Amino acid sequence: MRFFERQEAARAQTLRLLLLFGLTLLALLLAVNAALALTWRVLTPGFSSYPAYFFSVNTAVTLLFVLGGWWLETSSLHGGGERLARRVGAREAWPASREAEQKLCNIVSELAIAASIKPPLAMVLPREDSINAFATGWDEDDAVVAVTQGALEQLTRDELQGLVAHEFSHLREGDTRLNMRLAGMVFGLEMIFNLGRSMCETDNEGRYSLLALPGFAIMLTGSLGWLAGRVLKAAVSRQREYLADARAVQFTRSKDGLGGVLRKVAGQQAAHQGPSGRLHPAVQHMLLVNTAAKDRWLATHPPLAERIRRIYGRPMTALRRDDHVATRPDALF
């Protein structure tokens, strides 16, 4: 795997998608102003001109909702990495009493040196039998890497190292902050839709108010902006997964580490024992493997087979639970 080339390609694609996200916001502002301008013409007999600051006020209110939603969504996340992990059922690793968790803590310490970051808090999801993991936290002081009990029990040390290295990439590259900011922007776009919907509500007698017509226009433009935002956010997330895969190969100098993990997950899925739906929705988009979103446009993760193909340069078969991948000295080539 040419991991540096893969990383640059993923970063370039992320930048293009972020530019599209900005263009989506600009298009929303133009669409809201156009919809309200048309509504004003329809509702105003003998139309001659728009009121003073008509477009400025429309733009300011739209930005207030979008940026306000972004602030509300992201401000509550500072200092919440460990809190979020505990909310979804994770606990701190117990290296003194459990050999597998001692191995996890050792790997976390080793990879922190390789990634040149402060070691995150190692945590375990004790009641989850599938192979999975997630990283969360706003900054290095708040960072957490949580792995499932199934990963501790079913992976070799090299594979566990590859899994943790993938999560370290998300921390090193600031993917948690990026995802939360994009989630905030999507939430802000959704607030525009909700504003329009509230304006279209009927009274106790089932009658619409005069706000219904502009409300419908705002709801229509807001729904298009919200949908575009969700699609772009998912596309950015998929590119960051490709980047994290490439960084994991770089950190571990082995494609069979993470590659073995993904092949075992593919084996679980083939046996209908894939990532469990019990994992909390709040961390679904952060997981190593997420199968919650079936629609390819809204999927936060690339197809598993494609991720494996990119790591190895060719399609690879799935692995059963007890299969092992021997890490070769030429594993990168």
Side-chain angles (χ1 to χ4, degrees):
M1 181 186 191
R2 298 176 178 176
F3 49 78
F4 285 120
E5 292 182 12
R6 295 292 190 188
Q7 291 173 36
E8 290 306 316
R11 291 191 183 101
Q13 185 64 12
T14 298
L15 180 59
R16 287 191 287 269
L17 290 168
L18 291 177
L19 290 174
L20 281 175
F21 210 101
L23 291 175
T24 298
L25 178 57
L26 178 61
L28 174 68
L29 293 174
L30 294 174
V32 168
N33 274 292
L36 292 178
L38 180 60
T39 303
W40 185 267
R41 283 177 175 267
V42 171
L43 295 179
T44 307
F47 169 82
S48 58
S49 64
Y50 297 106
Y53 308 110
F54 178 81
F55 294 104
S56 299
V57 170
N58 294 339
T59 300
V61 171
T62 303
L63 286 175
L64 177 64
F65 272 84
V66 173
L67 299 180
W70 170 82
W71 181 82
L72 288 173
E73 186 74 7
T74 57
S75 61
S76 62
L77 297 170
H78 288 277
E82 182 180 353
R83 185 169 64 249
L84 174 61
R86 291 190 184 280
R87 184 163 66 110
V88 302
R91 59 161 174 80
E92 191 170 349
W94 298 335
S97 60
R98 306 200 176 187
E99 183 179 351
E101 295 179 25
Q102 175 67 66
K103 179 171 63 176
L104 171 65
C105 292
N106 291 342
I107 289 173
V108 168
S109 298
E110 293 166 8
L111 288 173
I113 297 173
S116 300
I117 64 174
K118 180 180 177 180
L121 178 64
M123 302 189 74
V124 177
L125 288 155
R127 291 179 294 278
E128 182 53 55
D129 296 329
S130 65
I131 298 173
N132 228 321
F134 68 88
T136 185
W138 193 261
D139 52 36
E140 290 187 14
D141 294 329
D142 182 42
V144 167
V145 171
V147 303
T148 60
Q149 187 67 38
L152 292 178
E153 293 175 353
Q154 300 175 47
L155 300 180
T156 66
R157 192 184 196 284
D158 288 338
E159 291 166 350
L160 185 61
Q161 188 178 54
L163 179 147
V164 175
H166 175 97
E167 302 306 327
F168 261 77
S169 174
H170 286 309
L171 297 174
R172 185 70 174 81
E173 295 287 334
D175 291 344
T176 299
R177 293 191 299 275
L178 176 62
N179 282 334
M180 291 304 100
R181 289 187 175 116
L182 292 179
M185 294 299 291
V186 172
F187 181 70
L189 294 173
E190 185 180 1
M191 288 185 67
I192 297 296
F193 167 78
N194 291 334
L195 172 64
R197 184 171 60 179
S198 65
M199 294 169 66
C200 294
E201 292 178 351
T202 59
D203 58 21
N204 294 331
E205 298 179 0
R207 294 176 300 186
Y208 291 98
S209 68
L210 290 176
L211 295 176
L213 187 56
F216 177 77
I218 292 174
M219 185 172 65
L220 177 61
T221 54
S223 63
L224 293 176
W226 175 59
L227 179 59
R230 288 188 63 194
V231 169
L232 288 172
K233 178 182 177 297
V236 170
S237 179
R238 291 194 295 272
Q239 292 302 316
R240 304 314 281 184
E241 291 301 322
Y242 283 136
L243 175 58
D245 288 348
R247 290 283 271 176
V249 175
Q250 177 192 350
F251 288 152
T252 61
R253 291 300 193 270
S254 170
K255 61 187 177 183
D256 284 326
L258 180 61
V261 176
L262 297 179
R263 292 173 67 190
K264 283 187 175 179
V265 173
Q268 284 186 334
Q269 292 182 353
H272 305 290
Q273 298 172 346
S276 170
R278 295 196 305 268
L279 288 168
H280 198 282
V283 297
Q284 286 287 344
H285 66 286
M286 303 178 187
L287 295 172
L288 173 74
V289 179
N290 176 22
T291 58
K294 301 300 183 182
D295 190 297
R296 70 185 185 94
W297 293 102
L298 299 178
T300 57
H301 289 55
L304 194 56
E306 176 61 17
R307 293 173 68 182
I308 295 171
R309 188 194 67 79
R310 289 195 179 204
I311 290 175
Y312 286 98
R314 64 187 188 279
M316 300 291 288
T317 58
L319 295 176
R320 297 186 304 273
R321 171 176 177 149
D322 297 325
D323 287 341
H324 300 294
V325 178
T327 303
R328 307 181 307 276
D330 62 342
L332 287 175
F333 306 100

